Amino acid sequence: MDLARVRREIAEAQGQFSYVESHPTASGSLYVLAAMQTSQGRIYTLAITFPDSYPYAQPHVVVRQPAIRSDSPHRFADGKICYIHHSMWNPGRHTLTTVLMRAAKWLSKYEVWLTTGRWPGAQIAH
């Protein structure tokens, strides 16, 4: 993992989002906690972890609070959200800020799904 890049991306994301903080892991890496408020006024907290192969593999995002429905679409069996299809991840273009922007979009779509039962927008099966 490119830890220097992760640190730079955290600093960049802190300039774009009002609540982004980093924490050390037991293995010497970092993980990120972020809070986001949707247009519906709900506040969600997210945990973002970086795989050892980062930036060549995308970070993992889990919604910590409030709990999201277990039957919600675009989630993996382990609870991570699918904020971007893995085939679309581009280590040369995508950063933590991208991840947070995509996670915010995922949360907005999730709230539409809660209300209408339909996930808006384009989808790729996974």
Side-chain angles (χ1 to χ4, degrees), residues 60-112:
H60 308 293
V61 179
V62 174
V63 178
R64 295 179 77 183
Q65 293 289 328
I68 55 176
R69 285 181 33 184
S70 61
D71 62 337
S72 69
H74 300 284
R75 286 183 60 218
F76 298 103
D78 60 4
K80 294 179 244 172
I81 65 170
C82 182
Y83 59 92
I84 187 171
H85 193 271
H86 64 86
S87 66
M88 297 174 68
W89 177 256
N90 181 335
R93 285 186 39 203
H94 297 140
T95 65
L96 175 61
T97 297
T98 308
V99 172
L100 292 169
M101 291 169 52
R102 298 293 299 226
K105 185 176 181 181
W106 189 97
L107 290 170
S108 293
K109 289 183 174 190
Y110 171 71
E111 289 188 343
V112 170

Side-chain angles (χ1 to χ4, degrees), residues 17-92:
F17 294 89
S18 58
Y19 183 84
V20 175
E21 58 184 35
S22 63
H23 298 271
T25 66
S27 65
S29 183
L30 295 170
Y31 73 97
V32 169
L33 292 179
M36 296 183 169
Q37 184 173 14
T38 65
S39 60
Q40 300 295 318
R42 291 188 187 104
I43 296 174
Y44 293 87
T45 58
L46 311 171
I48 298 102
T49 56
F50 299 89
D52 290 342
S53 56
Y54 186 79
Y56 302 103
Q58 66 193 76
H60 308 293
V61 179
V62 174
V63 178
R64 295 179 77 183
Q65 293 289 328
I68 55 176
R69 285 181 33 184
S70 61
D71 62 337
S72 69
H74 300 284
R75 286 183 60 218
F76 298 103
D78 60 4
K80 294 179 244 172
I81 65 170
C82 182
Y83 59 92
I84 187 171
H85 193 271
H86 64 86
S87 66
M88 297 174 68
W89 177 256
N90 181 335

